[in-house]
Amino acid sequence: GTVTIKAGSTVLCTIILVKGRGSCSPPANALPAGHDEVVAYYNGDSTYSPAQSRPRQLEVIGLPGGGGD
């Protein structure tokens, strides 16, 4: 199955599970500075039903000057 990590309607990343595990690293600019609720959505498979996590608070802190360019 896969897990999609979203903040509102913004997809931060999608994880393809291998033996029930996986990880992802959203790009640094995926969300603007501020607070967001992040939810993980599991699409289900032949054994497990689709599910979603409880919302988790995420704080994105912007860098002075807008970044390291």
Side-chain angles (χ1 to χ4, degrees), residues 20-58:
R21 294 179 177 230
S23 64
C24 69
S25 298
N29 64 349
L31 294 171
H35 291 85
D36 288 281
E37 283 193 344
V38 177
V39 178
Y41 297 91
Y42 174 63
N43 72 327
D45 63 16
S46 61
T47 304
Y48 298 102
S49 298
Q52 73 182 56
S53 70
R54 292 182 182 172
R56 304 288 285 193
Q57 291 294 317
L58 175 69

